[in-house]
Amino acid sequence: MSIRLACADFTWPLLRHEQSLALISTLGFEGVDLGIFGNRSHIRPEMIHGDVPMWAGILRERLERNNLEPADVFLIPSTEPGGMVPNNPDPAQREAGRMYFNDVVELSRRLEAKGISSTCGVPFEGESPSESLQNSAEELKWRVDQGDKYGIAVSVEPAVGTNANTVDLALEMLDLVPGLKLTLDYCHFVYQGMEQTSVDPLLPHARHFHCRGCAPDRMQVDFDENVIDYRRIIEKMQEVGYGGWFGVEFVWTAIWNCNQVDNTAETIRFRDLALAVINGTEHVPFMHTI
């Protein structure tokens, strides 16, 4: 199966959702990563909770109008630190997280989306790294089981600030939760100063993939400053038979100073590189001549 390209609808938060989808389609992407982020994205978990069937209908119509497929549904139920994460010690917080996760399973089922991404958890005071993963595992097993009922794969994103922010911790988490997959973003490891080759053992476990420019201590940079060799990564994806989407995921947020690049231009530049590698054609980077 050939790798296909997707783009995140949350790349342009200043556009209306319909405009963001139209731009993604205009840029030639086949799929879209739908962000469902508490109090932050275009479509939010607290919005769809009241009427999942209605919102599924709205989103299906928007996707069909723009000839887009749901490449991924990315749930972050709360932007509060530790809010509703799988290992939150407060049972009420975990139950609220389950409520929104069930909503997103139903939304994904109605949209015929094949996968859901979410967080694995965060460190809480008094937990060792392994204890933190153990505390996440039971909830993540439940989520995998919920997705399995409808043929929807569940993945988590090992990321800065999570309880799986290293390759070893991410692999330990996968051992604890059979059936769990990864939404893999090399930026979260390179940002911490890790060699990108050290992340490769996670690639066979990836269901979904995020791409943008990154450098040590800089989570998001432009094409010229990027240090991640995406050509090499795509070639390794092809070697291991990766069948998921390759999502170009620039964001516009003050977090990690991720509001310093031209998201439209950089999305195009990384799109062109990915297409060239996937299709086996020469990639000639765009050069400013004036």
Side-chain angles (χ1 to χ4, degrees):
M1 180 182 295
S2 177
I3 299 170
R4 302 166 71 193
L5 298 190
C7 185
D9 66 350
F10 46 91
T11 293
W12 298 277
L14 298 186
L15 296 180
R16 297 197 312 273
H17 192 237
E18 299 92 324
Q19 294 173 322
S20 179
L21 296 179
L23 178 54
I24 290 168
S25 179
T26 297
L27 293 177
F29 289 94
E30 296 180 77
V32 59
D33 290 358
L34 294 169
I36 313 292
F37 304 155
N39 198 36
R40 197 174 88 190
S41 56
H42 294 100
I43 310 300
R44 302 175 180 181
E46 61 268 25
M47 293 165 55
I48 68 171
H49 179 64
D51 197 336
V52 175
M54 180 191 75
W55 278 105
I58 290 171
L59 290 172
R60 179 181 286 277
E61 190 278 332
R62 290 178 184 176
L63 293 174
E64 290 177 349
R65 185 192 313 155
N66 290 288
N67 297 310
L68 292 170
E69 296 180 35
D72 187 45
V73 181
F74 192 179
L75 171 65
I76 300 177
S78 173
T79 52
E80 294 295 321
M84 303 187 206
V85 295
N87 65 320
N88 194 299
D90 182 350
Q93 285 284 309
R94 296 197 304 275
E95 185 60 33
R98 281 195 175 201
M99 176 184 72
Y100 285 138
F101 186 82
N102 271 329
D103 287 345
V104 167
V105 168
E106 177 64 11
L107 181 76
S108 300
R109 184 185 71 81
R110 289 174 177 271
L111 293 177
E112 299 180 61
K114 301 302 182 185
I116 297 170
S117 297
S118 193
T119 181
C120 44
V122 302
F124 283 93
E125 187 175 355
E127 293 179 328
S128 70
S130 288
E131 287 170 340
S132 184
L133 292 178
Q134 288 281 357
N135 290 337
S136 289
E138 181 178 353
E139 189 68 23
L140 292 175
K141 289 175 184 175
W142 176 86
R143 295 184 183 199
V144 169
D145 289 343
Q146 295 304 108
D148 280 347
K149 294 177 182 179
Y150 306 103
I152 298 169
V154 175
S155 58
V156 292
E157 183 178 40
V160 174
T162 71
N163 57 358
N165 64 342
T166 70
V167 172
D168 287 344
L169 287 172
L171 290 172
E172 182 178 346
M173 176 184 60
L174 292 172
D175 285 341
L176 291 170
V177 188
L180 185 68
K181 301 296 183 182
L182 297 182
T183 293
L184 186 57
D185 186 340
Y186 275 59
C187 295
H188 283 277
F189 301 94
V190 171
Y191 172 84
Q192 298 179 73
M194 302 176 196
E195 293 292 331
Q196 69 177 53
T197 54
S198 71
V199 188
D200 292 344
L202 299 181
L203 200 51
H205 304 282
R207 176 195 66 81
H208 194 60
F209 190 87
H210 289 161
C211 158
R212 62 176 173 273
C214 179
D217 295 318
R218 301 179 68 194
M219 183 63 79
Q220 182 166 288
V221 300
D222 65 20
F223 189 90
D224 299 318
E225 296 176 298
N226 170 60
V227 302
I228 298 176
D229 185 352
Y230 284 108
R231 173 180 293 278
R232 176 185 161 280
I233 291 171
I234 293 173
E235 289 172 348
K236 288 192 72 65
M237 284 178 162
Q238 293 169 328
E239 289 175 12
V240 302
Y242 176 77
W245 293 81
F246 186 92
V248 181
E249 189 216 32
F250 278 84
V251 297
W252 197 79
T253 173
I255 301 171
W256 298 310
N257 293 317
C258 290
N259 54 4
Q260 307 297 310
V261 304
D262 180 338
N263 279 5
T264 304
E266 298 310 319
T267 295
I268 292 169
R269 297 173 85 186
F270 282 90
R271 175 206 67 185
D272 288 350
L273 170 63
L275 280 174
V277 181
I278 291 168
N279 295 327
T281 59
E282 182 183 5
H283 174 246
V284 180
F286 175 81
M287 300 294 292
H288 293 282
T289 58
I290 299 176

